[in-house]
Each structure stands twice: as structure tokens, then as C-alpha cells.
Amino acid sequence: KTLVIVESPTKAKTISKFLGRGYTVESSFGHIRDLPKSKMGIDIEQGTFLPSYTIPREKAEHVKKLKALAKKNDTLIFATDEDREGEAISWHLAHVLGVDPEKAQRIVFHEITKHALDEAISHPRGIDQKLVDAQQARRILDRLVGYELSPFLWKKVTRGLSAGRVQSVAVRLVVEREREIQAFQTEEYWTITGLFKPEKETIQFPATLVVIGEKKLGKLGIKNKIEAEKIITDLKDAHYTIKDLIKKEVSRVPPPPFTTSTLQQTANHRLGFSAKQSMRLAQQLYEAGFITYMRTDSLAMSQKFLTEAGAYIGRTFGSDYTLAKARQYTTKSKGAQEAHEAIRPTEANRDPNMLRNELPSDQWRLYSLIWQRAVATQMAAAKLNRTSIDIAALPTAYVFRAAGQTLLFPGWLKLYPDMGKETLLPDLAIGELLQCKQLLPEQHFTEPPARYSDATLVKIMEEYGIGRPSTYAPTIATIEDRGYVTRDEHKRFTPSDIAYLVNDLLVEHFQDIVDYQFTAKMEENLDAIALGEKDWQPIIATFYNPFHENLVQKTETINKKDITEEKTDEVCSKCTSPMVIKIGRFGKFLACTNYPECKTTKPLPGSAEAQESLPTNEVCEKCGKPMVMKRGRFGTFLGCSGYPDCKNIKKNEKKTGVVCNVCKQGEFVERRGKRGPFYSCNRYPDCKNILSSKPTGEDCPTCSSPLIFGAKKTAKCSQKGCGFKKDIV
């Protein structure tokens, strides 16, 4: 009899289907040992940095069960995930169950299929101590920073704060981007677009002014309305001819299969999933046997899959779409490979339509994305005809340019669409005369860089080498859960008041903790440990000793009031003492300096909280007094100004004026959830209709569902699968 231990009950259930009689598959439910919560749990005094692991109380009963099962079976196999975390879980299990890690039977596989399991079971190995050491080093580093720096923040700023080796760098990225936005100086500029038509054609096409004389017109070349109007005047009597024409047939090869990073980015762009949501869904798909392991930076795919994909493409799309030789991609990531393949479906023939009724909606959408991307990599290149036309406005020195492309052969785009709108241009020749039907001057203003989304924050962290595939999603989730960032109406990250203060404090006094290069170098050291090139203890010592020495010094020299208080001209209404601006975990507020004798506090003038005590246009239907804005645990609400004599309260609804398309009675109002604002019918719970973004007030011309605001001045259909999208003028 053989006992196989994995870390997840879903994975255990899936594996059980493939293993025959004689195998018992049990889950460890993740880690069964960890550092203690009540103390550091690391030998700092002796300088060995050896951890002291304990079995958490909630795991004790399950460990007892695993020990009993291990005694009943002749063979014990550890089949946890193939990354460092999985290796460490197997190592902990071996110690608890009394198995020598070097003699343990450890199997690894990156997909849960019968073939992969049979192959893994026939080639067991011992536990890789190098991978365990790399995971332990990361855990110890994070514990040292968290358990020493977080209490420092409690003393010098406010209780409840946390700091981390990777999370604090992520906060710095968000804070610095917000400061870029705040410092941005908007500049006005104009563009001039002509609408042209050939003499004998009905097709009209746009072209933009790009050259004045011998000078190419930059983005800010036309600075104001006066300059734009002068150009329009100059062009009043011009006639137009084709000066230059370039036609070029180009091929576009498909993008590579997904890695952890690119899956999170693309799922955010295309499906609106957060990094945490994408990884949770991918984990479920992996454990159910639908996709390969989802924590990877490899671009390789197995020969078996490549062969299956080629055969599927030939059957479905025809021989024109197949490749003579499988297309391979080269991994450019400088980080260590935590898995041997890219993220792909376990079977190329498992078309998403086959799983439509088997998978929950979000799992199905993510599976479809992964399947399309992986199979598309083995399809023929798309062929496009790109055309560029220069139009001279004679006798002036102005030149307009039109660019367009037409799809000659879709290739992989037939399965995985990835193109903008095509601009169709008529068949023209150099020297041909054109009619200018209209000249359109348009005013624009430069825009600041966009706030980070899940996708762009993952991308910049990967570029800097901050974290690894397994850390992106939990890092983003942590800074959100800790209140360092919130999401705006576009679900992008904006820093809280406390994020600015903590970031500036760390940048000034703990530079290494939030230094991009330092953090990336530490990741490289962890990779070197995993490869057996470096020992973990000297790396910990090199970091910890100067860090701790600096922390002791800063604890003695930094004054909390210098950080958290700012003088004002305000006077306390109760005791007439001066009031100062303080900062707490939830932002800035005014507080009396006579604390603790006087505990008066009030919101900053002009802040959202300050508006909450103002009367509203609402009148209490019970006593006739004005209703005022109040804040509670779940946000703002309307309360009677006659409180406590009258305790009437009402919801504070941000109305949109758009009638619910389901019940036809309620109205869409703004609500706030964990991932930012969303819009729902105000007749909830009688009507549970929800929109992910603000409705525009228009209906989709394709399916009549409400249109909602999308990114970059667009509106899109709220109905999943419809795909209608349009620009907002």
C-alpha cells in the first residue's frame, strides 16, 4: 500500500482518479509547520539564523491523522507542487512523519494527467535541500523584516501597520507614480486631420498633418488655437496629391504562451481579473487537471502538446494554418526557472466549448484564454498589408499622412484575436489627385502617466526583478489588505495618506528595504541558493546585521511627533489648546495637543469626512429634521440630525440616473467592494443585477444590454461574451 501526500484536497481528488488500487491520496492542507506567531522563532543570538518550527494548533489533529496513515502504508510518496514552496512542504512533512528527507520518495509533475503521474512515480527522487533552503531563506528574511520593522512603525507612526521586504517596494512604486501624476504639467496641443477622397472613389479616409516645410511635426508641434487656425487659412485654396506611397506585406507571429506574469497581465486587461483572482482561478484549473502548473517563467511546451496542437489546428482550420515545424519560444527571464513548462492546457484537444457547462464562468473564461493562447502559438503567422500614404497640400509645404492595414490571411488571429481597428484605404497611386472634404482641427491636452493596474504593477515588478512568479499576486493583495492602496473607479491603485508617510520614512531611514536594485539583488541571491551556488546563512547575516544596527539607532533618534504631527492655526473648540494634523492608519485628522486630558478630534477641512457632518437636501420622514451625512463601518450613510432622540438612518446612494435593465424599477447606484467600486440596482436584495463599471445610459446595439464605461475613452457592452465596443467622442 502507498500513501501519496499532496497539499490540496482538490488536487488529491484529481490524482485519485488516475491512480489505481493500492494508493491512498491525502492532503496536507498546505504547510503543516511554520514559524511561531507569538515570537520571532529565529536564532539571532547565536548568529545561525536557524528557524524553530512549530505545528499550529489548528493543524495538530490533521498531523495526527497523517501519522496514523503513514504507519498503515508501506510506502510514502510526497507529491506537493514542484516549486520551492512545494519542496518545503514535503520537507516539513518528512520531518514530522519521521522520514529522512534524503531518502524520501519525492515526485514532481507540472500537469495532473495519467501520463505525467505514471512518469513521475516511476522516477522518484529525494527532497532537494537547495530548494528548501531558498524557501527558508525567503521566509526568514521576511520574518526578520516584518517582526522588527513593523513594531518600529507601530511606535513611530501608528499601530496596525506592517512592512515587508517586497510589499514596501511595491508601495513605493505606487507612491512614486502618484507623485508623478501630481507633479505633471498639462500642455495644450492641437492636431489637424483631413478627410480625403479620390476623384473616382466613394471611400473617404482620414490623414493627419505630419510635416510643415522640411520639419516633421512633433506631438506638441501645434501649440494653440491661433496656430491651428493659421494652418487652416493657409490650406484654404490648396489642392492635394499623393506624394509618396509605401505598401508592405508583413507577417505577425503569435505571442508566446503564458508565464505567471503574462497570464496575470493579460487576464487583467482582457477579463478584468485582479492578480490574486487570476492565480486563485489558475490554481483551481491546475488542481482539477485542466492546465499545467501556473507558477512558472518558462516558455517551453512539451513535444506531446505541440504534436496534439498541430493535429487539432489541421483538423479545425485546415492545412494553411499549420506549421511545418513546431514553433518554440526562448525564455528571456533572468530569474530561476521554477517549473519546466509554460502555462498551457493539459490537452490541446480539450476545446473550451467542451467545458462550457462543466466549469464555473470565471474558470471557463480563464481556461479559454490559456487554451487559445497556447494553441495559437502553433498556428501560421498572420499576413497583413500595411500602407502608408503621404499627401502633399500644394502649393503649401504641408504634408498629411494616412496609415492603414488590411488582413490578407488571419493565421493565428483567427483563434486569438489581437488587433486594433483596421483602417481601410483605397487603391491609390503616386501623383493621383485627391479631394479634401473637410479639415478638422482638434484640441488636446497631454495626460499624466496612468496609475498602476494589477497588470502594469506586475509588469514593472517583473522588470525590476522584484519578487518572483509566486509572489506577485500575494504582494498586491497584502498592500491592498493593509490599507496602503485603494482602487479608483478604474480599479487602479492609489496610495493612502499612510502609504506616503510610511514610504517616505522607509526611503529616508531604511533605504535598502525599499531600494529596487537591492531587492532585485536579494532575489538573485535566493535563486543562487536554489541552484546550490550560495549558502543561505551568510546571505541572511549580510542583510540582517546592518539592518538591525540601523533599526536600533533609528528607534532611539526618531521622534514620533516629528513624523506624525503638523502644526496648524486651528484651536480646540473645547479647551482652546492648539490643534495639530495627525495621521492614523486611516488617514489625516485634526487632534487637540492637550491629549489625553482633551480627546477632541475632527476631520480636516475640505476632506470627505468633513463633508459628512453637513446637512443634506434629505429630510427625515419620521421627525422632519434635516438628514446629515455620517460615516460608519461600511461607509457613509444618512442619519437624522435629531439623534439620539430620532435614530432614523438611510442609505447614502450615489445615483447614476440609469434605470435597471432587469427589474425596470430600480436605478443603478455606486457601491464599493473589496476590489473597488461597482454598480448595482438599488432594489437589492429584490433585484441582484450588478455592473462592473459605471453605465453610460445607452444600450448595446447588438444585444440591448447596458453599455458601461471602459478604458481610454471607450464604452463596451456589459454582457459577457457580446464584445461590442465603441469610442466615446
Side-chain angles (χ1 to χ4, degrees):
K1 288 184 176 182
T2 301
L3 173 64
V4 180
I5 302 181
V6 297
E7 65 274 72
S8 153
T10 306
K11 188 176 174 182
K13 186 178 178 182
T14 307
I15 287 175
S16 295
K17 297 176 185 176
F18 298 114
L19 297 179
R21 294 176 63 183
Y23 286 93
T24 301
V25 186
E26 184 60 51
S27 166
S28 70
F29 291 89
H31 278 281
I32 60 166
R33 292 199 308 179
D34 198 2
L35 294 170
K37 290 183 179 179
S38 58
K39 58 182 180 179
M40 179 70 79
I42 297 167
D43 183 7
I44 297 170
E45 289 75 15
Q46 302 297 321
T48 64
F49 301 102
L50 290 172
S52 298
Y53 294 111
T54 60
I55 297 172
R57 186 179 302 170
E58 64 272 16
K59 295 277 188 176
E61 197 61 35
H62 191 64
V63 168
K64 190 177 177 181
K65 178 184 176 182
L66 290 174
K67 286 181 175 179
L69 283 170
K71 286 181 180 178
K72 289 180 183 177
N73 288 271
D74 305 315
T75 307
L76 179 57
I77 295 177
F78 300 110
T80 51
D81 288 346
E82 62 171 330
D83 60 3
R84 298 173 194 172
E85 200 73 26
E87 204 71 22
I89 291 173
S90 286
W91 181 78
H92 284 298
L93 283 165
H95 277 278
V96 170
L97 300 178
V99 177
D100 183 344
E102 292 183 9
K103 297 177 182 177
Q105 291 199 46
R106 164 85 165 115
I107 63 170
V108 292
F109 42 86
H110 48 264
E111 63 182 20
I112 304 176
T113 60
K114 181 163 178 47
H115 172 77
L117 284 167
D118 289 345
E119 187 69 20
I121 287 173
S122 63
H123 297 95
R125 61 164 172 81
I127 290 171
D128 190 334
Q129 190 62 42
K130 301 188 297 296
L131 294 180
V132 175
D133 287 344
Q135 189 276 339
Q136 284 195 111
R138 179 185 291 280
R139 184 77 181 91
I140 291 166
L141 275 170
D142 292 344
R143 171 58 66 100
L144 290 169
V145 173
Y147 269 49
E148 293 208 352
L149 198 51
S150 295
F152 171 83
L153 293 178
W154 300 350
K155 290 177 185 175
K156 303 301 180 182
V157 184
T158 187
R159 291 194 66 81
L161 296 177
S162 71
R165 191 180 54 83
V166 177
Q167 77 170 59
S168 296
V169 181
V171 171
R172 182 181 181 181
L173 285 166
V174 176
V175 167
E176 290 188 346
R177 173 56 58 89
E178 194 68 19
R179 282 182 168 148
E180 281 183 66
I181 295 169
Q182 293 167 354
F184 186 81
Q185 297 293 317
T186 298
E187 293 185 67
E188 178 186 6
Y189 69 99
W190 287 67
T191 56
I192 296 177
T193 303
L195 199 59
F196 296 94
K197 185 184 93 62
E199 295 282 352
K200 298 178 182 179
E201 295 268 3
T202 57
I203 298 175
Q204 295 183 354
F205 63 93
T208 305
L209 182 65
V210 292
V211 174
I212 299 178
E214 298 297 320
K215 185 181 176 184
K216 187 177 179 182
L217 199 62
K219 181 179 178 179
L220 305 178
I222 306 172
K223 292 183 170 51
N224 50 52
K225 186 177 182 180
I226 295 172
E227 291 183 11
E229 288 177 342
K230 179 184 181 302
I231 293 170
I232 298 295
T233 302
D234 291 346
L235 292 168
K236 188 176 181 182
D237 299 317
H239 58 274
Y240 300 87
T241 182
I242 305 293
K243 179 183 179 184
D244 197 10
L245 189 151
I246 300 172
K247 285 186 178 180
K248 186 179 181 182
E249 187 176 308
V250 295
S251 294
R252 276 188 64 191
V253 296
F258 284 127
T259 62
T260 303
S261 167
T262 54
L263 176 64
Q264 290 174 9
Q265 293 174 49
T266 309
N268 184 245
H269 283 312
R270 293 196 171 202
L271 306 178
F273 293 165
S274 68
K276 182 179 180 181
Q277 187 180 11
S278 297
M279 293 311 292
R280 175 173 52 80
L281 293 168
Q283 179 93 33
Q284 292 165 354
L285 289 170
Y286 164 69
E287 291 178 348
F290 292 113
I291 65 169
T292 54
Y293 193 54
M294 64 288 153
R295 294 190 181 95
T296 175
D297 50 13
S298 172
L299 296 177
M301 292 191 290
S302 71
Q303 189 58 50
K304 177 176 174 291
F305 176 81
L306 297 177
T307 303
E308 286 180 2
Y312 174 88
I313 292 162
R315 288 194 310 272
T316 309
F317 301 103
S319 59
D320 289 347
Y321 288 84
T322 60
L323 300 173
K325 183 182 177 182
R327 186 183 285 114
Q328 301 280 7
Y329 293 85
T330 304
T331 302
K332 295 179 180 178
S333 171
K334 63 181 180 181
Q337 295 303 314
E338 298 242 4
H340 304 298
E341 282 203 61
I343 304 170
R344 61 163 176 82
T346 51
E347 295 180 29
N349 296 320
R350 192 181 275 150
D351 186 302
N353 291 325
M354 297 166 61
L355 302 175
R356 185 107 210 196
N357 299 320
E358 186 174 339
L359 294 175
S361 174
D362 284 348
Q363 281 189 29
W364 182 82
R365 293 171 70 204
L366 189 67
Y367 176 79
S368 299
L369 188 68
I370 293 167
W371 182 86
Q372 288 171 341
R373 177 91 162 218
V375 174
T377 65
Q378 301 310 305
M379 294 179 74
K383 289 184 170 56
L384 303 105
N385 197 350
R386 286 186 182 159
T387 305
S388 176
I389 301 172
D390 282 0
I391 303 166
L394 302 174
T396 71
Y398 297 116
V399 176
F400 290 77
R401 181 167 294 157
Q405 62 182 19
T406 53
L407 190 61
L408 302 175
F409 173 67
W412 61 275
L413 290 168
K414 196 170 184 75
L415 182 63
Y416 187 72
D418 187 29
M419 285 182 66
K421 294 179 181 176
E422 292 182 35
T423 301
L424 296 175
L425 298 173
D427 193 19
L428 299 166
I430 293 176
E432 187 173 343
L433 294 176
L434 299 173
Q435 295 176 7
C436 181
K437 306 302 290 184
Q438 196 175 7
L439 287 173
L440 302 167
E442 188 176 358
Q443 184 185 38
H444 307 274
F445 294 93
T446 55
E447 295 184 353
R451 287 172 174 156
Y452 287 115
S453 63
D454 286 77
T456 53
L457 189 53
V458 166
K459 185 178 181 181
I460 194 71
M461 288 172 70
E462 185 181 40
E463 287 176 4
Y464 275 122
I466 300 164
R468 283 296 179 261
S470 60
T471 65
Y472 300 136
T475 296
I476 292 173
T478 296
I479 65 174
E480 193 172 3
D481 292 343
R482 302 293 190 204
Y484 285 121
V485 299
T486 55
R487 294 179 186 264
D488 64 15
E489 63 274 16
H490 303 297
K491 298 184 179 178
R492 296 177 182 271
F493 298 115
T494 178
S496 60
D497 286 340
I498 203 71
Y500 287 105
L501 190 150
V502 170
N503 176 71
D504 292 349
L505 179 65
L506 296 179
V507 167
E508 183 177 355
H509 299 288
F510 299 92
Q511 179 62 38
D512 285 350
I513 294 296
V514 288
D515 182 76
Y516 302 137
Q517 284 72 35
F518 182 87
T519 306
K521 180 65 178 174
M522 186 60 73
E523 293 294 346
E524 291 175 10
N525 285 332
L526 292 172
D527 294 340
I529 294 168
L531 294 170
E533 296 170 357
K534 291 186 178 181
D535 294 329
W536 68 271
Q537 284 156 305
I539 288 173
I540 301 287
T542 302
F543 164 79
Y544 177 74
N545 293 333
F547 163 73
H548 180 72
E549 187 179 328
N550 182 47
L551 182 68
V552 171
Q553 181 193 348
K554 298 301 180 182
T555 302
E556 294 173 354
T557 57
I558 292 176
N559 188 327
K560 180 176 181 177
K561 288 187 177 182
D562 294 339
I563 299 170
T564 60
E565 294 187 8
E566 183 182 337
K567 292 182 179 179
T568 72
D569 296 328
E570 292 276 338
V571 175
C572 178
S573 57
K574 291 185 179 178
C575 71
T576 69
S577 297
M579 298 195 83
V580 293
I581 297 173
K582 284 192 172 186
I583 189 161
R585 191 178 176 191
F586 302 106
K588 294 181 177 180
F589 61 95
L590 283 167
C592 181
T593 53
N594 195 27
Y595 180 87
E597 283 74 19
C598 178
K599 297 180 180 178
T600 301
T601 64
K602 63 179 184 177
L604 285 175
S607 67
E609 289 80 3
Q611 306 303 314
E612 290 166 14
S613 60
L614 297 177
T616 67
N617 294 327
E618 299 272 346
V619 175
C620 177
E621 64 269 24
K622 291 187 177 179
C623 70
K625 291 184 179 179
M627 300 288 279
V628 295
M629 199 83 74
K630 294 191 174 184
R631 176 176 287 273
R633 184 180 173 190
F634 301 105
T636 59
F637 63 94
L638 298 179
C640 181
S641 58
Y643 180 87
D645 298 324
C646 177
K647 297 179 180 178
N648 186 27
I649 61 171
K650 293 168 66 176
K651 289 180 180 177
N652 175 35
E653 296 180 333
K654 289 188 178 180
K655 298 181 179 180
T656 63
V658 180
V659 176
C660 174
N661 61 305
V662 173
C663 70
K664 309 293 184 183
Q665 299 176 41
E667 177 184 338
F668 285 114
V669 295
E670 182 181 318
R671 311 266 192 214
R672 292 199 73 84
K674 223 180 168 185
R675 289 193 291 272
F678 65 94
Y679 295 81
S680 67
C681 179
N682 62 356
R683 290 186 64 247
Y684 179 89
D686 296 325
C687 178
K688 297 181 179 179
N689 192 17
I690 289 177
L691 301 177
S692 60
S693 183
K694 187 175 181 179
T696 66
E698 298 178 89
D699 291 335
C700 174
T702 304
C703 69
S704 300
S705 298
L707 291 183
I708 57 177
F709 287 101
K712 297 180 180 178
K713 298 181 180 179
T714 62
K716 60 182 181 179
C717 182
S718 58
Q719 182 65 39
K720 291 178 181 178
C722 174
F724 176 80
K725 191 175 182 179
K726 73 169 189 175
D727 294 325
I728 299 175
V729 180

